[in-house]
Amino acid sequence: MILNFAESRLSNGIRVATAAMPSVESAAIGVWVGVGGRYEEKRLSGISHFIEHLLFKGTTSRSAKEISQAIEGRGGYFNAFTQEESTCYYARIASQHAWSVFDILADMYLHPRLAAADIHKERGVIIEEIMMYKDQPQHLVQEMLGDLLWTNHPLGRTLVGTEENIRRVTRAEIAGFKQRRYVPGNTLVVFAGKVKHDACVARVERLLGGVPRRPTPSYPPVSGKTGQGREAVLAKDIEQTHIAMGVRLFGRHDRRRYALKLMSIILGENMSSRLFQVVREKHGLAYSIHSSVQLFEETGVLDVSAGVDTDRTPKAVEVILGELARLKEKRVGSSELRRAKDYAIGQLRIGLESTSNQMMWVGENLMSYRRFLQPQEVIDRIESVTERDIHAVARDVLHRRRLSIALITPKGGEKHGEMLKEKAEMLGSGDG
């Protein structure tokens, strides 16, 4: 599977990439900036997400209403997201409106209004968002897990920040952070759909080519000195126990990442996975259980999350850890590996049929790997993974010293802390 990819770089350092899809009638456009939660000092935690919100409140020449009408009024869609290492502003529109929509995204990037009244209103919006997450134990337990995995490090903090930070951050701090970190060297513009590369480069050059070069921001890396907590238990007035287990990993450039992804699929990424079949289907311990992998530049996490029957929480923890231990003890079977490969490849192929997903694929590759990976290259790497590879990565990473467990339980469940310590020993100490 080969995408029609092209890339150019402007003289000021901004990259322009395209994935041409001549047979479609739409275009997806993304303006990516290499800044996110891990670039923030503690007192400004949440500021990247705050800026993302504020860019939609209007520019010096367009109101928020005019921006939305210009895109949605033409049948388009636009949104944004903030991650740990990047922020993306994106839109999908009929191809004949691509230039006018990109003009708006460029205006948001260059000339956000950052009006005091907008900042005041958006504080309230984001504080309500923070409160919403606090009322969602499945989200809150993930925040607890992040704090355990990367203690006192930006990666361990929530992307939306704290209520205290959001209330006290000033307009000057917001404007200064934006100016220092939205720079050409970490900016990427991606077009996918019915577009031509040279025309896209010319348009970006016209609107963003005059942005002066400035130093590209950096962040503190995770190292062996970065703290990791083991267990955390929080009691709340809820009905179900929520579990989040995380194994701290290597970064995204490690050659074992393909075996790791297939291991996660086998473990818990779909309804035929081991965790779903054992925890839910066999024992009836959970309604929802899932595993996933998230890799950053130099670190990552294998995450298992579940909402379980409170009365049988110790049993659920034991069964989940038992499945992790089983991956270390015995190789997966050839048919199980084949199903995992077919699932991974099928999900990739299906996803890349849309302009939005091709734009995301290009953006995530260039921001994360600083080069473009053709889908076929990834497919070939997936196909090359063996049962031995999965067993090796399981033995390398599934150890007690890499494991953190967060638990949110109904009132009275505080005692589960000791249980978690005892059960975690099922993975063994290891040297991986």
Side-chain angles (χ1 to χ4, degrees), residues 124-270:
V125 171
I126 294 174
I127 289 169
E128 286 304 310
E129 185 177 359
I130 293 170
M131 296 302 106
M132 177 184 73
Y133 291 142
K134 286 185 176 180
D135 285 341
Q136 297 174 354
Q138 69 274 24
H139 183 96
L140 185 58
V141 76
Q142 291 295 328
E143 292 184 0
M144 293 168 57
L145 178 63
D147 184 57
L148 289 172
L149 287 166
W150 301 287
T151 304
N152 296 321
H153 188 277
L155 276 180
R157 301 179 196 134
T158 171
L159 290 172
V160 296
T162 65
E163 181 179 356
E164 180 184 7
N165 279 3
I166 299 305
R167 288 193 186 280
R168 73 184 176 189
V169 68
T170 67
R171 184 191 185 281
E173 288 172 326
I174 290 169
F177 189 94
K178 161 70 169 57
Q179 183 181 28
R180 292 190 304 273
R181 287 163 172 83
Y182 280 53
V183 301
N186 69 355
T187 299
L188 165 69
V189 183
V190 182
F191 299 83
K194 196 170 188 177
V195 297
K196 294 183 178 180
H197 183 73
D198 289 346
C200 292
V201 174
R203 194 73 177 192
V204 178
E205 175 70 51
R206 174 183 163 188
L207 296 181
L208 300 180
V211 180
R213 284 181 176 269
R214 291 195 296 275
T216 303
S218 60
Y219 51 75
V222 170
S223 70
K225 296 180 180 179
T226 304
Q228 180 177 1
R230 299 305 171 194
E231 299 89 18
V233 178
L234 175 65
K236 287 178 67 71
D237 188 14
I238 55 176
E239 298 297 325
Q240 186 184 44
T241 295
H242 294 264
I243 303 170
M245 296 186 187
V247 177
R248 199 162 104 179
L249 300 171
F250 43 77
R252 67 168 66 96
H253 302 284
D254 195 290
R255 60 182 176 78
R256 296 170 291 176
R257 66 185 183 271
Y258 297 101
L260 175 72
K261 176 61 177 176
L262 291 174
M263 185 182 80
S264 177
I265 291 171
I266 290 167
L267 179 65
E269 291 198 18
N270 55 38

Side-chain angles (χ1 to χ4, degrees), residues 24 119 164 218 359 371:
V24 304
I119 292 172
E164 180 184 7
S218 60
M359 185 277 290
R371 74 177 185 92

Side-chain angles (χ1 to χ4, degrees), residues 25 33 48 75 110 131 157 192 194 236 276 356 395 399:
E25 296 298 328
V33 187
S48 298
L110 288 172
M131 296 302 106
R157 301 179 196 134
K194 196 170 188 177
K236 287 178 67 71
F276 190 94
S356 295
R395 291 172 64 87
H399 297 297

Side-chain angles (χ1 to χ4, degrees), residues 274 278 321-331 336:
R274 292 183 176 186
V278 175
L321 288 169
E323 290 303 317
L324 292 173
R326 186 156 73 98
L327 285 166
K328 288 174 57 178
E329 294 162 2
K330 185 178 180 181
R331 292 184 189 179
E336 192 174 28

